[in-house]
Amino acid sequence: MLLLQALPTSIGVAAIAPALLVLWLVIAADERPGPPARVWLAFVLGAASISLLGVARAPFAAILAVPGNPWMTQGLRSVFGVAAPEEIVKVLVIIAVSLPVRRRTFADPMDTVVYGAAAGLGFAAYENLAYLVQHADMWRSLAALRSVLTVPFHGALGIIAGAYIAIARAGTALGAHRHHRDWARISSWCLALFAPVALHAAFDFPLLTLQKHPDLGPATRMLLGAASLLIGFSSIGFAIRLVRRVGRHHAPRTEVARERLSQLRRMWALLLVGSGAGFAGAAFVLTSLHHWFVNPDRNASLLLIPLGMTSILIGLALLLATSAVYVFGRNRIRTSSEGFSSAPEPG
């Protein structure tokens, strides 16, 4: 019990593990996973983008309230106080991370989808951690609820933004509006921002209303809760559909390609496990140090710090080893694949 009280490492793991799991599922749908460094950059920048929310909210400060109309006020706050600022910073992260990819002669559109997922899930992981720490007395039930819906929802919004950016850049290559190419590009760029904002606002409006008006009747509360759940899971389903739409044009066609994809997925799984172990170890050490400074009985914390350092070392070792395996294995698989593809077909 003392260990759990002194160490909210479990909270940290509960906060970040769902985001890493969803990120793995998105990466597993990609035949040619992009560079790990760029995926992690999108994840970290997505988490760091929370610090820009104040700047993103500033232009909307004057339109967040309608005197005498609480429902309209709640709607404006859902759109311009929460959804628009959060999705704007995520889209900026996706564009910033995917810009260097665009300069290549050929860029896999799924890369942008993965970067979108990573940015959205990085944001969700940081937000999730903040919520769980803030409500430490009920973190288990809150973690279960958010891991099922809120974290995948943020990832889904990032996927939707990344998919529409990929579609806008690819044009007719993804089979969209072949006879209206210019309109397809413009509409896709618009949907990259407006679709996540609309879905996010629709998801938040019932929840914020329930929070703001606790005296609502049971039927109204049930209806608002059901509406939020429906929008959240529908958004996740829509994101899955977009992933399949983009990924369908890059599905493995040969046995060699399918084997290569299987090996890349295993490598990525190890990368995620290594990163999660390192994060857990870091949380272990930091919270133990905090307990050391605030608790007069320092003996317990002194014992926890070596355990945390051990966890960090294990996580870093696994991360470095799997990164090396990924880099060298990916090159070997690519070489083997090119060798097979260049071989003459049998009689």
Side-chain angles (χ1 to χ4, degrees):
M1 182 61 68
L2 177 61
L3 178 65
L4 292 178
Q5 291 175 352
L7 175 69
T9 305
S10 301
I11 295 180
V13 173
I16 197 172
L20 293 178
L21 175 60
V22 177
L23 180 59
W24 151 244
L25 293 176
V26 178
I27 292 171
D30 188 3
E31 181 193 356
R32 295 180 293 272
R38 196 166 296 281
V39 177
W40 292 124
L41 177 64
F43 188 89
V44 172
L45 290 180
S49 67
I50 291 182
S51 61
L52 300 177
L53 290 181
V55 177
R57 288 192 181 106
F60 308 115
I63 57 173
L64 293 182
V66 178
N69 193 331
W71 291 97
M72 183 64 72
T73 298
Q74 199 64 51
L76 290 175
R77 287 180 178 174
S78 300
V79 176
F80 299 107
V82 179
E86 292 187 6
E87 299 311 318
I88 286 173
V89 297
K90 290 181 200 172
V91 169
L92 291 177
V93 168
I94 299 169
I95 293 175
V97 173
S98 61
L99 271 178
V101 176
R102 181 57 178 163
R103 298 194 187 107
R104 297 202 309 242
T105 303
F106 174 79
D108 186 352
M110 272 297 294
D111 285 350
T112 309
V113 176
V114 173
Y115 300 150
L121 292 169
F123 186 99
Y126 189 97
E127 182 186 66
N128 206 24
L129 182 61
Y131 270 101
L132 298 188
V133 171
Q134 185 179 0
H135 302 89
D137 55 331
M138 52 179 294
W139 71 268
R140 293 174 180 82
S141 57
L142 189 61
L145 177 62
R146 292 183 62 84
S147 64
V148 171
L149 180 58
T150 308
V151 171
F153 177 71
H154 275 290
L157 296 181
I159 289 172
I160 292 169
Y164 278 118
I165 291 174
I167 292 171
R169 288 172 171 173
T172 58
L174 295 178
H177 304 284
R178 293 183 181 276
H179 302 294
H180 304 282
R181 181 179 301 179
D182 293 336
W183 168 246
R185 291 184 184 276
I186 295 172
S187 61
S188 295
W189 277 113
C190 293
L191 286 171
L193 177 61
F194 293 134
V197 169
L199 292 171
H200 197 160
F203 175 78
D204 278 350
F205 177 76
L207 298 179
L208 293 176
T209 301
L210 289 172
Q211 182 179 1
K212 188 70 174 180
H213 303 282
D215 56 341
L216 293 173
T220 304
R221 295 181 65 84
M222 183 177 296
L223 182 62
L224 290 172
S228 183
L229 290 175
L230 177 62
I231 294 167
F233 286 116
S234 297
S235 301
I236 295 170
F238 181 54
I240 294 173
R241 180 178 178 272
L242 286 176
V243 169
R244 289 179 176 175
R245 174 183 174 184
V246 177
R248 185 168 58 246
H249 294 266
H250 301 275
R253 306 291 182 183
T254 65
E255 188 63 32
V256 172
R258 284 191 287 269
E259 176 61 23
R260 176 176 178 270
L261 175 58
S262 177
Q263 294 188 31
L264 286 174
R265 285 172 175 171
R266 288 195 292 269
M267 294 176 192
W268 261 107
L270 292 175
L271 283 174
L272 294 177
V273 171
S275 301
F279 174 85
F284 201 113
V285 170
L286 291 176
T287 51
S288 298
L289 289 174
H290 177 264
H291 184 75
W292 167 266
F293 286 113
V294 301
N295 195 329
D297 183 13
R298 298 181 174 180
N299 294 329
S301 281
L302 187 61
L303 295 175
L304 295 178
I305 293 177
L307 294 177
M309 294 301 296
T310 302
S311 179
I312 289 181
L313 292 176
I314 293 174
L316 288 177
L318 184 57
L319 184 58
L320 291 175
T322 51
S323 295
V325 170
Y326 181 90
V327 172
F328 293 111
R330 192 180 187 200
N331 292 335
R332 182 181 60 81
I333 295 172
R334 183 186 295 113
T335 302
S336 300
S337 179
E338 290 173 354
F340 277 109
S341 63
S342 60
E345 294 184 1

